[in-house]
Structure formats: C-alpha cells, structure tokens
Amino acid sequence: MRLSRFTALSSSLLLGAVLALTGAGAAQAADTAALDYVALGDSYSSGVGAGSYDSASGDCKRSTKAYPVLWKNAHAPSSFAFTACSGARTGDVTANQLGPLSTATDLVSLTIGGNDAGFADVMTTCVLQSESTCINRVNQAKSYVDTTLPGKLDSVYTAVRNKAPNAHVVVLGYPRFYQLGGTCIAGLSENERSAINNAADYLNAATAKRAADHGFTFASVVPAFTGHEICSGSAWLHSVNWLNIGESYHPTASGQSGGYLPSFNGAA
C-alpha cells in the first residue's frame, strides 16, 4: 500500500527529528564525558546528612549520595575530584581543596560561606536560648555577611579562577530551613524560623553577587527545596538531631538528589 504524500512527509520529518535529537544527545554526552570536574566546598557539598560516607574521607564526611557524586555517576566525566569537606570555611577551601584544579579543569561546583557566617552557632543559639537572643544572633550573622564575608568569598573565587582559568564555575546556595505555618507543633517560634529563613536569603543574595562579579554562575536551591523544608511534612532537611548533632540542618539523601542535584544540573 502506498503512503499518502502527507504521511510520507510526516514520517520523513519525524525520522529527521529523531536523528537530529539522537545526534544532539550523543554530542552532548560526548561533551560531558570529556569534562574534568572538581567539587569543592563545605558540608552541603560533601553530603553531610545524606549518610553513606566514604570512610577514606574521615571527618570530611564525603557521601556517595552527595550531589557531586550523583552528577558524576550520571554523566561519567573524564575525571572527577571530590575535595569538599564538612566544616569547611573559605580559608579551608583555599588552603586544602584546590589541589586538583588546573588549566584542564572544565567544571567546578562549590558551596561555601555558611560556616564563615556562623550558621551552626546561630542554630545552636536559637535552639537553646530565648527568642530575643536567637534573633540577635541572626542579626550578628547578617552583619558579618555585610561586612566581612564578601572579601572572604572574593579570596576563594579569585583563587579558583587563578588555578582553573578555563572552568565553568557553579556556586550553589543554601536552602531556607523552615516552612512557615507548617506542621511543627514545638521547637522554635515562627519569629525565629522567619528570621533564620531571612538570614539564609541574605547569605544567598550576598553569595550570588560575589559569584556574578567573578563571572561565575550562581544556582539557587531555594525553588527546589520549596515544599520540602523542615515543618513541611515532607522535609529534605534534618531538624535538630541530638543523637547525631552534626547532621542537624543538613540535607537528607533526598535533599541531595531532589534539591541540589537538579539545581546543579540546570547550571552546569
């Protein structure tokens, strides 16, 4: 049976589209496979809270469920170096994590700044002390973000660019911790939760500005985590955990795969 001219034309166009898409996909895969990728940063990049830690990473607690490893597993870059470390501050990145960077590095990911701004102490203060003390501590952290953190971020970003002049650098931010008006019936007050969320936004805005000024891409994770904050009923973040305090206020494995990974994918 002969095909009508319309059917034949449609089939031809469909075949062409499939071939074009397949070719583009193959080319994209080839480009990705040729990448040299280095993952830097603090506990949000090392994967604290996600479990499945590489014993060889020691106190850095690099997780096999952290977004850099998940991205590596999905894209099979030609080389992958994972130096992110729990507790890292800006100075730790420049002193201890930049070894794998070179002129051959194509892609870098990074989360940094939260420890410099004292967010662990903020959360400890807010959990253990009064609302007014909590909010005062949050405001101190915001003042640090205004006055001191930009220079420290500049030092890190300049060092990364000097060592990896050809790399596409993606700086990822931090999620808001709380869904306001959510399911939590105890713990912090709504005023405290709101202040902490605002401080996260404040830190993200400062980080995004410094990243942009260095020609880096900033990737916000706030949209991906919306609906999955603490008190949401479907949290991708640990609340305070007295049995494993280090994992408190860090992304779960779902937070890494559902929050950080797609945010990085969209910017890489």
Side-chain angles (χ1 to χ4, degrees):
M1 182 174 66
R2 292 172 53 188
L3 294 173
S4 69
R5 290 179 61 190
F6 175 78
T7 303
L9 178 60
S10 299
S11 300
S12 177
L13 290 173
L14 178 60
L15 177 61
V18 169
L19 291 174
L21 287 172
T22 303
Q28 185 177 20
D31 288 345
T32 302
L35 286 176
D36 294 292
Y37 169 38
V38 179
L40 313 172
D42 57 21
S43 53
Y44 280 69
S45 287
S46 73
V48 171
S52 188
Y53 304 117
D54 178 3
S55 59
S57 68
D59 290 340
C60 285
K61 290 191 173 181
R62 298 183 191 109
S63 171
T64 61
K65 297 180 180 180
Y67 76 86
V69 179
L70 299 178
W71 193 93
K72 181 264 295 184
N73 292 343
H75 294 86
S78 57
S79 71
F80 172 62
F82 190 18
T83 60
C85 188
S86 174
R89 300 188 179 201
T90 49
D92 297 312
V93 173
T94 53
N96 304 316
Q97 296 188 21
L98 304 186
L101 296 179
S102 72
T103 56
T105 303
D106 301 294
L107 179 63
V108 175
S109 64
L110 173 65
T111 58
I112 202 67
N115 290 320
D116 294 79
F119 265 64
D121 185 62
V122 167
M123 298 312 301
T124 300
T125 299
C126 289
V127 168
L128 297 178
Q129 300 191 43
S130 68
E131 178 180 296
S132 62
T133 303
C134 166
I135 292 175
N136 285 338
R137 183 63 185 89
V138 168
N139 288 335
Q140 290 174 17
K142 291 171 70 175
S143 178
Y144 182 94
V145 170
D146 278 336
T147 60
T148 307
L149 186 62
K152 290 183 174 292
L153 293 176
D154 283 341
S155 295
V156 173
Y157 297 163
T158 297
V160 169
R161 179 52 75 214
N162 286 343
K163 292 208 67 175
N166 303 311
H168 174 54
V169 181
V170 179
V171 177
L172 295 98
Y174 299 94
R176 293 176 184 144
F177 286 171
Y178 293 101
Q179 183 180 91
L180 301 181
T183 59
C184 294
I185 58 174
L188 304 185
S189 70
E190 284 291 277
N191 286 338
E192 290 172 308
R193 291 170 185 152
S194 179
I196 291 166
N197 282 355
N198 288 339
D201 289 344
Y202 208 76
L203 174 59
N204 286 332
T207 304
K209 176 65 167 60
R210 301 318 308 140
D213 286 350
H214 285 263
F216 297 168
T217 298
F218 179 78
S220 174
V221 300
V222 170
F225 274 87
T226 298
H228 296 285
E229 308 94 333
I230 299 167
C231 304
S232 67
S234 180
W236 287 351
L237 291 158
H238 293 280
S239 187
V240 63
N241 181 353
W242 298 111
L243 298 179
N244 191 341
I245 201 69
E247 293 195 342
S248 300
Y249 305 107
H250 283 84
T252 63
S254 294
Q256 289 286 336
S257 63
Y260 270 90
L261 179 61
S263 301
F264 179 50
N265 265 329

